[in-house]
Amino acid sequence: MRTFTEEQNMFRDTYRKFLEAEIVPNMEKWQEQGIVDREAFTKAGDQGFLMIWPDEQYGGMGDTDFRFEQIIIEETARVGCASWLNTLHSRLVGSYIQHFGNDEQKQRFLPGCITGEKILAIAMTEPDAGSDLAGMRTTLCEDEDHFILNGSKTYISNGINADYVVVAGKSDPENNPHAMTLCIVERGMEGFERGRNLDKMGMKAQDTAELFFSNVKIPKENILGEPGNGFFYLMQGLAEERLIAAVGSIASARRAFNLTREFVMERKVFGKPLSYMQNTQFKMAEMDAEIEILEVFIDHLVAEHNEERLTPNMAAKAKLQSTEIEWKMLDLGVQLHGGAGYMKEYPICNMFTDARINRILAGSSEIMKLIISREIFSENYSSNLD
Ligand SMILES: Cc1cc2nc3c(=O)[nH]c(=O)nc-3n(C[C@H](O)[C@H](O)[C@H](O)COP(=O)(O)OP(=O)(O)OC[C@H]3O[C@@H](n4cnc5c(N)ncnc54)[C@H](O)[C@@H]3O)c2cc1C
């Protein structure tokens, strides 16, 4: 059962209007240029749609209820603007500053991010370390009164637009390969360079870039949390990141379902609507059932998350299932559209290429299965029938 308050329903309406006025009309232009204009962030910030959770002293609304973020993600999917990554900035990266930053860092970094004048990114992945983060080669080692950052990162979302990048590096590579530290790299720091805006299959309005760090001097004031605990912090952040991915993918699956439903009711084949064919009816019935069951599970996880009971295992199950079902729905959607499904003028076409990444990023489907299977075969395993 969905539990949105009146305030949240009003928030949904105003965010929907914002998207329709400021984001939807620009999407085609941003897709062509491969990057969202920075004004998208300041306009969202002006209306209070970025980072609603920080305390009022930093300029936020102090409302940590994840339902607000769920609304933002669902509405963005509803209008087909998946590559406007409000949530990456607002919740996914912003949370690292909130959870692991000290008061001085929150004062310094959060206000600009809330107004949208500063844009955030997070850089974990490297050319030789994606799923296996422990294999990263970037180093962030203490040196007198500062740290030195060396290495490179790739596939970084908001990589070109970002003013602050949360970067992970190994802090004691010789003696403790698992010791990782997180820092905030700021635009303009000496030795920080950006590479290409990468040319992708989908998510065309998203700037995804390589980042290079050569002897970047990081003041201690830019280190997040305790040096050496970075891996643990990343693992903590990933459970929420996977819930975010699950909310987005199931909303996108539902949108694809709705678009396909409308299409098959209009399209005539052999003298009657495509929706009269039993193949169409059975396949759509299967998808409606699969999507709805997952919508309920994900709503349940949002409530669990609000109570701080979201576990990595639950988040992995939601991410695995929602991205796989989204993909199944989009493949069926394109199939039932016929040739039209391959044409860009039909939204299902764009959705298909945008969604392909969802089974890979934020932990691939295979990695989600690893996480789930670890618990199945652990001593602590218990099922709902025990
Ligand atoms: C558009 C886009 C945006 C991104 N944004 C960001 C970002 O903002 N920040 C960031 O840090 N990263 C980002 N990434 C990187 C993304 O998180 C990685 O691509 C992802 O984690 C997979 O890593 P990889 O590409 O190195 O693939 P690999 O890890 O090399 O995986 C290749 C294949 O091997 C499989 N595999 C790996 N390990 C196992 C295993 N143990 N058992 C079975 N199969 C396995 C994988 O599932 C996959 O199918 C982004 C990527 C893309 C494409």
Side-chain angles (χ1 to χ4, degrees):
M1 191 62 195
R2 313 202 85 189
T3 47
F4 292 102
T5 61
E6 201 177 323
E7 186 194 1
Q8 287 163 349
N9 287 330
M10 277 166 55
F11 180 81
R12 186 186 288 278
D13 282 349
T14 48
Y15 188 61
R16 186 176 287 188
K17 286 187 187 121
F18 166 77
L19 286 173
E20 278 159 6
E22 303 293 351
I23 304 297
V24 177
N26 287 307
M27 201 35 89
E28 207 175 313
K29 174 184 141 204
W30 294 338
Q31 282 170 341
E32 273 161 27
Q33 68 189 28
I35 191 164
V36 167
D37 289 336
R38 291 179 69 90
E39 294 86 78
F41 286 86
T42 44
K43 283 183 175 163
D46 279 350
Q47 298 196 34
F49 293 131
L50 298 177
M51 288 196 188
I52 45 190
W53 43 264
D55 288 342
E56 286 173 17
Q57 58 172 314
Y58 307 120
M61 283 156 52
D63 201 326
T64 53
D65 187 341
F66 191 80
R67 291 262 176 234
F68 285 103
E69 210 60 49
Q70 184 182 19
I71 290 168
I72 285 176
I73 302 165
E74 286 179 355
E75 287 302 312
T76 309
R78 199 185 68 80
V79 292
C81 295
S83 44
W84 149 243
L85 286 185
N86 177 346
T87 298
L88 175 92
H89 166 90
S90 293
R91 186 86 193 202
L92 208 146
V93 192
S95 296
Y96 284 89
I97 303 176
Q98 167 76 1
H99 291 139
F100 311 117
N102 56 34
D103 276 351
E104 185 277 325
Q105 288 170 329
K106 288 181 198 172
Q107 286 288 0
R108 192 153 45 104
F109 296 116
L110 286 179
C113 300
I114 294 168
T115 59
E117 281 150 299
K118 302 287 181 189
I119 299 175
L120 293 170
I122 183 156
M124 301 180 259
T125 306
E126 299 184 1
D128 294 318
S131 305
D132 179 16
L133 277 182
M136 73 172 57
R137 294 193 195 159
T138 295
T139 56
L140 177 61
C141 296
E142 197 162 357
D143 184 24
E144 297 171 2
D145 64 341
H146 57 271
F147 281 67
I148 294 286
L149 178 67
N150 272 305
S152 64
K153 300 284 178 183
T154 192
Y155 310 144
I156 306 308
S157 306
N158 284 350
I160 302 290
N161 261 338
D163 301 286
Y164 302 142
V165 188
V166 173
V167 180
K170 290 198 168 173
S171 39
D172 189 8
E174 302 289 308
N175 305 311
N176 182 0
H178 294 290
M180 242 175 235
T181 297
L182 302 186
C183 69
I184 299 178
V185 175
E186 298 179 50
R187 179 184 288 280
M189 280 183 163
E190 209 180 325
F192 169 33
E193 302 286 342
R194 294 163 215 252
R196 293 173 295 144
N197 187 355
L198 300 163
D199 193 10
K200 305 187 292 296
M201 175 196 293
M203 300 288 278
K204 296 278 190 187
Q206 232 307 295
D207 51 317
T208 309
E210 301 166 300
L211 307 179
F212 302 100
F213 309 102
S214 173
N215 287 320
V216 184
K217 196 171 165 185
I218 307 289
K220 283 191 174 160
E221 295 74 42
N222 281 31
I223 299 293
L224 278 178
E226 281 299 310
N229 282 350
F231 193 69
F232 172 68
Y233 298 154
L234 291 177
M235 293 303 114
Q236 270 187 305
L238 281 173
E240 183 176 273
E241 182 174 343
R242 285 165 190 159
L243 180 60
I244 289 170
V247 171
S249 288
I250 205 61
S252 146
R254 182 53 80 190
R255 175 173 191 248
F257 177 90
N258 291 344
L259 289 170
T260 306
R261 179 178 166 275
E262 279 165 28
F263 182 87
V264 295
M265 286 167 75
E266 284 291 315
R267 172 76 181 164
K268 292 213 172 52
V269 288
F270 297 95
K272 50 187 175 181
L274 186 50
S275 58
Y276 283 26
M277 304 286 170
Q278 197 184 50
N279 175 61
T280 309
Q281 294 168 354
F282 280 13
K283 289 226 157 80
M284 289 294 279
E286 253 174 61
M287 289 316 312
D288 194 28
E290 288 185 44
I291 294 169
E292 188 161 340
I293 287 167
L294 210 54
E295 284 168 340
V296 174
F297 178 60
I298 289 168
D299 268 347
H300 165 68
L301 290 198
V302 169
E304 288 294 284
H305 189 37
N306 274 338
E307 298 298 322
E308 298 184 2
R309 289 195 298 251
L310 180 73
T311 65
N313 183 283
M314 287 175 188
K317 284 177 180 162
K319 204 260 168 189
L320 172 68
Q321 286 299 102
S322 59
T323 55
E324 293 291 339
I325 284 175
E326 175 192 30
W327 186 242
K328 192 172 160 189
M329 182 61 237
L330 281 166
D331 190 44
L332 174 66
V334 171
Q335 190 68 19
L336 289 178
H337 275 70
Y342 207 68
M343 300 297 137
K344 290 217 162 178
E345 65 197 88
Y346 287 84
I348 198 86
C349 174
N350 221 11
M351 289 183 79
F352 184 81
T353 46
D354 274 358
R356 185 60 188 88
I357 188 57
N358 293 340
R359 292 157 64 225
I360 297 171
L361 55 63
S364 65
S365 288
E366 291 74 23
I367 296 301
M368 295 307 99
K369 289 178 196 172
L370 270 184
I371 295 170
I372 299 163
S373 62
R374 245 181 241 139
E375 189 156 313
I376 297 174
F377 299 109
S378 78
E379 302 265 304
N380 306 326
Y381 178 72
S382 72
S383 81
N384 288 338
L385 266 186
D386 290 341

